[in-house]
Amino acid sequence: MRQAAGRNSELQQSGGFTFIAMKNFDARNEAVATVLCAVCEQPITGGRWFARISSGDLLAALCCPLCEATFAGNPAPYVRRIETYQLMAEPRPGN
């Protein structure tokens, strides 16, 4: 059973446990089934992105020319958002 848990993630229930599944923005793996556009967060399936842009350690997938131009014009807020999602997905000490 899946339920909405906000824009960044979704709740999934399995075996009596509830956990949060984080969205995937990592476009480094070409074999991944779905990655989200770094700007508009639309799903991109089967490696059908318009462009991939490297920004530091991040390789961001972009779905269309408008998202590519938006990201290229000011990547900082999109990179910061993705880095925040990645930090939220990392296991915390003691958990």
Side-chain angles (χ1 to χ4, degrees):
M1 171 194 243
R2 293 183 178 190
Q3 300 171 346
R7 187 172 181 204
N8 305 339
S9 59
E10 66 179 24
L11 291 178
Q12 295 182 346
Q13 294 180 344
S14 175
F17 295 98
T18 300
F19 59 95
I20 297 176
M22 300 306 293
K23 293 183 177 182
N24 180 25
F25 290 92
D26 187 0
R28 290 176 291 182
N29 182 358
E30 292 187 23
V32 70
T34 302
V35 67
L36 298 179
C37 176
V39 175
C40 69
E41 298 188 22
Q42 292 297 313
I44 302 169
T45 59
R48 294 187 184 110
W49 47 71
F50 173 76
R52 291 189 303 169
I53 297 179
S54 178
S55 180
D57 291 338
L58 173 70
L59 183 59
L62 302 158
C63 67
C64 67
L66 179 59
C67 287
E68 187 273 331
T70 302
F71 187 89
N74 185 13
Y78 306 106
V79 170
R80 185 172 41 249
R81 179 179 66 197
I82 293 168
E83 289 172 345
T84 300
Y85 292 166
Q86 290 171 342
L87 284 174
M88 291 171 37
E90 290 177 3
R92 295 182 186 187
N95 287 342

